[in-house]
Every structure is written in structure tokens, then in C-alpha cells.
Amino acid sequence: MDISTGTRASNAERDKVVRLLGRHMADGRIDLAEYDTRIAQVYATAAREDLQVVLSDLPTLRAEAAERGRTRPRLPIWQRIEGAAWLGVSMLVLGIWAAISFGVGEFTYFWPVWVIGPWGAVLAFRMVAGFEGGYRTS
């Protein structure tokens, strides 16, 4: 039994190094044969320090630094879709109101407020309150 002197590497850490090697191969820094050799070395190693040796001659990828600090998006996808629909409809009704006002030759009653206002208020309340957002813990 061989006892390593460094901190043991986890499978997740090995998988991260394998993904990095795949990106380096896709960028053309290493070829397929070298990729296979390095992958074999990654899965044969037991220590974290040995994992870093596999990547030592390759540059650090900028996206990896961003992934470490990345958090989930502020709004879930369905709320972003609803917000985009609200914005599109708001622009449409404003365009219709502007066309009517231009056709009449003066500003008419600003009726788009009754479309834009309540819908926007409901979306804003749902966003702030966290309804359907998965952020509530109760």
C-alpha cells in the first residue's frame, strides 16, 4: 500500500481537471494523444498536488476564474421570459398610443398606463417577494 504525502484528491477534483484538459484540447493547446496521456495521469494520481502538475504547463483559463465566483441568476428563466413579454407588450402599446396621438395631431389620453402599470406591478411584486422563484424557504 502506497501512502501519499499530499492531500487526497476527490473524484470531483479529477473531473474538473479532465474538463479543463478537454477545453485545452479544444483550444488546440494539446493534441489527442497528449490528452489521453494526461487523462490517464489524472485518474492514476491520488494527491491534489499531482493534479496541478498535469496542468502546470498550460495557461489558466479565464472562464474558470469566473465559474468560481458564479452564482445562480437573480431571476428564474420563467420570470425573465415574463419580463421580456411585458417589455414587448409595453413597447407595442406605447407605439400604438404614439401612432394614435400622431394621427390626431395632439397627445391623447395615456391609456397604456392601464396595460403597463398593473402588469408591471404584479411582476415586480412577484420578483421582490420571491413567489414562484424558488427563493422562499417557508
Side-chain angles (χ1 to χ4, degrees):
M1 172 183 250
D2 184 28
I3 299 176
S4 89
T5 58
T7 305
R8 306 283 289 185
S10 69
N11 287 337
E13 292 168 325
R14 287 185 189 93
D15 289 340
K16 181 179 176 182
V17 172
V18 168
R19 283 193 309 273
L20 284 172
L21 287 172
R23 291 187 52 206
H24 284 294
M25 184 180 70
D27 290 343
R29 291 186 188 94
I30 58 176
D31 62 1
L32 185 58
E34 186 175 358
Y35 174 77
D36 286 339
T37 303
R38 289 180 187 232
I39 296 297
Q41 185 179 356
V42 165
Y43 285 114
T45 189
R48 287 181 178 171
E49 295 79 17
D50 295 336
L51 289 178
Q52 295 307 316
V53 171
V54 174
L55 298 171
S56 64
D57 63 332
L58 297 170
T60 304
L61 298 174
R62 282 183 247 160
E64 279 302 306
E67 283 181 7
R68 278 185 236 126
R70 185 185 306 172
T71 59
R72 67 180 178 187
R74 169 106 173 104
L75 297 175
I77 186 72
W78 57 86
Q79 285 185 347
R80 287 183 275 170
I81 292 170
E82 289 172 345
W86 173 80
L87 183 62
V89 169
S90 299
M91 298 306 289
L92 177 68
V93 297
L94 284 173
I96 293 170
W97 174 79
I100 291 170
S101 294
F102 182 72
V104 173
E106 64 182 26
F107 288 118
T108 60
Y109 175 72
F110 190 68
W111 57 267
V113 72
W114 299 109
V115 177
I116 297 170
W119 189 4
V122 168
L123 290 178
F125 176 75
R126 286 175 52 201
M127 181 183 73
V128 170
F131 290 139
E132 300 178 16
Y135 301 126
R136 297 180 62 193
T137 57
S138 60

